[in-house]
Amino acid sequence: MRLTAIASVAALLVSAAAPAQPLRPEFPGTHAVVAAGRTYTAEAGAEMLAGGGNAIDAGVASIFAAAVVEISHFGLGGEAPMVIYHAATREVVVINGQGTAPGAATPAAFAGQTSIPANGPLAATIPAVVDAASLALARYGTKSLGEVLAPAIRLADGFPMYEFLSRYLASERKGSEPYADTMRTYYPDGRVTRAGEMFRQPNLARTLRMLAAAEAASLKAGEPREKAIGRARDAFYTGEFARRLSAAVRAAGGMITEADLAGYHSKIERPYSVTYRGYTVHKAGPWNQSPVLLQTLNLLEGFDLRAMGHLSADSIHVMTEAMKLAYADRDRFYGDPDFVKVPMAGLLSKAYAQQRRSLIDMARASREQRPGNPSSFEATPTADAADPHVTRVGVTGESGDTTAIEVADKDGNLFSATPSSGWLLGGAFVAGDTGVPMSNRMQAFRLEPGSPNIVAPGKRPRTTLTPTIVTRDGAPFLAIGTPGGDSQDQQILQVLVNVIDFGLPLQAAVDSARFNTLSIQSSFGEHRIEPGVLEVERGVAEATRAALEARGHVLKLYPVASYPTGIVAAGVDTATGKLRGAADVRRERSVVAW
């Protein structure tokens, strides 16, 4: 295999002016592109493609590898929502890979609290990664589970520590110290592994080998491929392993039971989609924040962004105000549709967007929460009830974060995943001797009565995870995603607008200066809001920043190319018909293309 590009930037020093050229080259290919959070992760996917696999094989292999090497932001006990463009059928599908609340998780269980703990055994939803990845592989991949697990197993046996992760292990050690199994897993000999030293996770390696062995036994017995992958999945969610994992969680004060694990299943769903200037953007449903991007695009369709100018005060202002309106609807209406009726037809209606568009004042930044009345645009119009959520003003703090994996292959398949949770931020909780860090996602639930996102047994929390597929005339165009908590759809929006409206090449669109509104309810911690606050990189011109302040935006400045996000993208260059990839210098993202 000849690689035309393997990229990972450890550090980048840039001036306080916007870069005239992209910060790194675009990555072309004719066979495949894998864009991911680390080179280790991207190489795992590339190994599958070099061995004759497709984009889904590569994406699943990269998910498992990321669960080993990106533990600062994602672990095997977390979740992995995916959106897939399946070239053979020319259809887009969603893998609902979000874990659910344990059976004992009721509002009464958290009585007297304003939010659910963000770390520790009570923070955990049911682990979804193994089930979701197995489902995607069985339905849309070609490889065995053992084949896609092989790179992750090697990495769990040991990989050279890198500086980014070593820093996280040092900064988050105190939060992990209450959990003896975490300390044994992540701090061997009681110390932080330094960059360049080998880092080994033998318990996690044993868990991954257990999955491969269960599949191998099934195949040896003559069972078909999909059945064998299911046997491996069952080895995680039932039997002796499930007993050990659930016992470790409960012994530490958590809620997860064997029945919770056995009853969990990911789902294949249809995407929600909208058209935007000739492109179709496909997202998951309101069990996560994905539709907020679709709503924002509907709003922006009524403005001539190109005429306003790239990174002008007008374009930044109107995009920010549109995002505020869409996120207000997210906070008011989104929730697990298995439990609540979400007025999706109304929320994604072009007529609803036209009505909401009139609320945008080009001369003034709004500091209000202004959810709309989308139910009046449903087939059977109704009035929406009052917003039940408590508004808490204050500093939102850092989100736990995520990673992202995007793959495009020569046959036209696209794969987008946003694996998350089980992170180090605030302290990881590893379940006994399994090597598996448990989820932190229960905190995304609300406790206010009447909230569509109120915690309930078996319910999925409304998360921020937001994989994205874009098509044009039914053909594959782009898979794109990012870490960043609530900012994810804001960052993806800016890259899409940079490409579609402003005509930037893909890597330049990723490198371009960024902004992010905090005038939305945080999905983390106490769900606070910072009215009017707009985070802006200094790559935005000083005169433009002054004009934004004159409109009432409260700016929080970041150095050039330093906003804590990390876009990765893979797709098709429609001008040439060749593949292309892009990766953010922010968060040291990586690409393998050939």
Side-chain angles (χ1 to χ4, degrees), residues 417-430:
T418 314
S420 187
S421 213
W423 53 61
L424 272 168
L425 187 67
F429 173 75
V430 174

Side-chain angles (χ1 to χ4, degrees), residues 110 113-119 123 330 389-401 423 425-426 440-448 453 461-464 485-486 520-529:
F110 302 98
Q113 302 180 47
T114 57
S115 62
I116 296 174
N119 298 89
R330 179 204 73 169
H389 297 112
V390 175
T391 299
R392 299 182 181 91
V393 175
V395 177
T396 55
E398 185 178 354
S399 65
D401 234 327
W423 53 61
L425 187 67
N440 312 77
R441 198 55 69 177
M442 285 290 290
Q443 65 178 305
F445 281 117
R446 304 298 289 259
L447 295 176
E448 296 96 327
N453 189 33
R462 195 280 299 148
T463 68
T464 59
D486 292 292
I520 59 176
Q521 294 180 32
S522 171
S523 300
F524 303 88
E526 296 287 330
H527 306 290
R528 293 174 179 157
I529 183 172

Side-chain angles (χ1 to χ4, degrees), residues 276-309:
Y276 181 76
R277 309 202 201 284
Y279 296 82
T280 304
V281 182
H282 307 273
K283 303 286 282 185
W287 48 269
N288 73 20
Q289 76 175 20
S290 281
V292 82
L293 175 62
L294 307 181
Q295 288 191 246
T296 306
L297 290 170
N298 277 348
L299 289 164
L300 292 176
E301 201 169 36
F303 296 92
D304 189 346
L305 297 180
R306 187 176 185 86
M308 291 179 183

Side-chain angles (χ1 to χ4, degrees), residues 118-492:
N119 298 89
L122 284 173
T125 49
I126 309 306
V129 173
V130 172
D131 185 85
S134 298
L135 178 61
L137 181 69
R139 291 292 182 90
Y140 302 106
T142 66
K143 296 283 190 180
S144 69
L145 186 65
E147 288 175 301
V148 301
L149 282 170
I153 292 171
R154 292 197 306 267
L155 290 164
D157 284 339
F159 65 89
M161 176 60 67
Y162 55 95
E163 184 62 35
F164 184 91
L165 178 54
S166 184
R167 289 199 308 266
Y168 258 91
L169 286 164
S171 66
E172 306 307 315
R173 175 172 179 155
K174 185 175 181 180
S176 297
E177 285 177 349
Y179 312 115
D181 289 307
T182 302
M183 297 304 293
R184 280 189 285 268
T185 302
Y186 291 160
Y187 301 90
D189 301 320
R191 57 182 287 270
V192 173
T193 303
R194 293 188 296 269
E197 295 179 337
M198 292 300 290
F199 182 67
R200 297 179 173 86
Q201 299 173 76
N203 288 343
L204 182 59
R206 186 171 63 248
T207 293
L208 296 174
R209 284 192 169 93
M210 173 198 71
L211 301 178
E215 180 196 46
S218 174
L219 291 171
K220 186 176 181 180
E223 293 186 317
R225 172 180 171 274
E226 286 195 30
K227 185 72 170 179
I229 293 172
R231 296 288 191 194
R233 176 262 174 216
D234 291 345
F236 188 95
Y237 290 91
T238 64
E240 186 269 339
F241 181 84
R243 284 193 292 274
R244 283 171 36 226
L245 186 145
S246 59
V249 173
R250 291 198 313 278
M255 296 178 172
I256 292 176
T257 66
E258 289 180 62
D260 290 326
L261 291 166
Y264 177 75
H265 293 280
S266 303
K267 298 189 292 183
I268 298 176
E269 300 176 344
R270 302 295 302 170
Y272 285 92
S273 309
V274 301
T275 58
Y276 181 76
R277 309 202 201 284
Y279 296 82
T280 304
V281 182
H282 307 273
K283 303 286 282 185
W287 48 269
N288 73 20
Q289 76 175 20
S290 281
V292 82
L293 175 62
L294 307 181
Q295 288 191 246
T296 306
L297 290 170
N298 277 348
L299 289 164
L300 292 176
E301 201 169 36
F303 296 92
D304 189 346
L305 297 180
R306 187 176 185 86
M308 291 179 183
H310 181 238
L311 291 179
S312 68
D314 278 349
S315 66
I316 293 174
H317 174 80
V318 75
M319 291 171 70
T320 299
E321 295 305 298
M323 289 187 289
K324 290 177 186 177
L325 291 174
Y327 274 83
D329 279 346
R330 179 204 73 169
D331 296 334
R332 170 64 189 87
F333 298 109
Y334 291 15
D336 186 345
D338 289 345
F339 286 74
V340 295
K341 184 181 185 305
V342 183
M344 289 302 299
L347 287 165
L348 298 184
S349 161
K350 298 288 189 180
Y352 178 63
Q354 183 177 0
Q355 181 199 71
R356 297 278 281 162
R357 199 177 294 132
S358 64
L359 295 176
I360 296 176
D361 184 343
M362 290 301 295
R364 185 181 68 86
S366 171
R367 298 192 180 190
E368 303 168 355
Q369 290 285 285
R370 297 183 291 176
N373 184 19
S375 295
S376 64
F377 290 83
E378 296 275 294
T380 304
T382 60
D384 290 304
D387 191 342
H389 297 112
V390 175
T391 299
R392 299 182 181 91
V393 175
V395 177
T396 55
E398 185 178 354
S399 65
D401 234 327
T402 298
T403 191
I405 296 163
E406 316 301 320
V407 188
D409 70 24
K410 62 181 176 55
D411 297 319
N413 296 297
L414 295 177
F415 177 93
S416 179
T418 314
S420 187
S421 213
W423 53 61
L424 272 168
L425 187 67
F429 173 75
V430 174
D433 64 355
T434 66
V436 176
M438 300 302 289
S439 159
N440 312 77
R441 198 55 69 177
M442 285 290 290
Q443 65 178 305
F445 281 117
R446 304 298 289 259
L447 295 176
E448 296 96 327
S451 169
N453 189 33
I454 192 169
V455 66
K459 187 176 182 179
R460 289 171 170 83
R462 195 280 299 148
T463 68
T464 59
L465 310 177
T466 183
T468 307
I469 293 289
V470 183
T471 57
R472 189 174 190 182
D473 298 325
F477 178 69
L478 192 66
I480 184 170
T482 184
D486 292 292
S487 78
Q488 288 178 33
D489 279 299
Q490 300 190 50
Q491 305 308 306
I492 293 170

Side-chain angles (χ1 to χ4, degrees), residues 19 310-311 494 498 504 507-514 537 586:
H310 181 238
L311 291 179
Q494 290 168 63
N498 286 345
L504 271 62
Q507 185 62 51
V510 171
D511 290 342
S512 179
R514 302 275 184 79
E537 288 184 338
R586 307 166 180 90

